[in-house]
Amino acid sequence: MLFALPVTVGVLSGLGFEEKVRRQTLYHHRCTLCNRMLRRDINRLADPDDWVLDLGTKHGDKAIHIDAKVVAVDIELKPTHDGLEYVLADGFQLPFRTGAFDYISCSQVFEHIPDTEAFVAEISRVLKPEGVAMIDFPNRLFPDKPHTPPGYFSLLPRPLAIRLAPYLLEPDVADYYKNHVYNLSPIGARKALTKHFGSIEYVTLREKAEYRAVFLGEQPDPVYTPGKGAKVFAKMFPLITLLTRFPPVGWLFELFYPHAAYECRRPKRQRDR
């Protein structure tokens, strides 16, 4: 029995905010690739009888190819795949018993969470003691353009950014930023993760290594087309991997690289903390 609370299974209409497709295309393509990286890690570990929670997936696209029993959870749903169980639920109060899942995938979600620590606590609660949670998000310390606002907005303190948004952004973008974007750094993520997991491993480089041929442009990808920066990074990857074995370099890389991914094990229950 997975569920511990009443749930609603079905479809909820969209937010009503039309994202600027032209400005978001590249970012969404990178997100798709990040989703596949996490999915590949879980698929490599999971058995067909394992339960996998795909947390924060409106359509279920992020975990559709995982060979296990997958439950897709979001605060709004648009079920598009057979073979998945869709559950309409809030990530801060998941309707599942403690220790229900063998694996949890949470890709490109943390940047929308106002209280990271409380969200991580729920992930830890529903994960089995021997389970694995795979988490990734865009790093706020890299001036990228996640979710439409200009790149520098992720570097600003949130109170200042909210105050400036009505003057610097289009009204719908300013509203979306204020209500749905909570940029996160690896420092903030590690603070929350360390409180609720006994083992946290930064796995961004490991995931990138498995897709090096895609970044080099040697292996065609149905969605992602690497730019010059990605190709240069891929060519330098062996050197970067070597240098990041030294803690100061590894810490700096984690702190400023645009994509942060973590493999979390040994969930701590309330009594353990």
Side-chain angles (χ1 to χ4, degrees), residues 55-85:
L55 184 56
T57 174
K58 184 188 302 183
H59 302 90
D61 294 340
K62 297 177 182 179
I64 183 59
H65 296 296
I66 292 178
D67 185 17
K69 298 182 229 179
V70 179
V71 180
V73 172
D74 208 331
I75 57 173
E76 54 177 329
L77 293 171
K78 292 185 178 179
T80 55
H81 301 287
D82 295 330
L84 297 185
E85 183 171 355

Side-chain angles (χ1 to χ4, degrees), residues 202-259:
Y202 179 72
V203 296
T204 298
L205 280 172
R206 184 186 76 195
E207 292 185 347
K208 301 294 183 185
E210 296 177 354
Y211 280 81
R212 188 177 179 223
V214 173
F215 292 121
L216 286 170
E218 297 173 351
Q219 178 180 324
D221 187 85
V223 173
Y224 179 76
T225 301
K228 291 182 180 180
K231 291 180 179 179
V232 170
F233 172 81
K235 289 178 181 179
M236 296 179 61
F237 191 83
L239 176 61
I240 293 171
T241 301
L242 177 63
L243 292 175
T244 53
R245 292 178 181 175
F246 299 94
V249 180
W251 296 333
L252 286 172
F253 184 90
E254 178 181 350
L255 190 60
F256 294 110
Y257 189 73
H259 171 231

Side-chain angles (χ1 to χ4, degrees), residues 7 9 13 34 48 66 103 106 109 116 149-151 158 164 167 172 190 192 195 220 223 228 232 241 254 256 269:
V7 301
V9 181
S13 61
C34 292
I66 292 178
Y103 299 95
C106 188
V109 174
T116 305
R158 181 169 172 77
L164 293 175
Y167 304 100
D172 54 352
R190 275 196 175 271
K195 187 172 181 179
V223 173
K228 291 182 180 180
V232 170
T241 301
E254 178 181 350
F256 294 110
R269 307 301 183 213

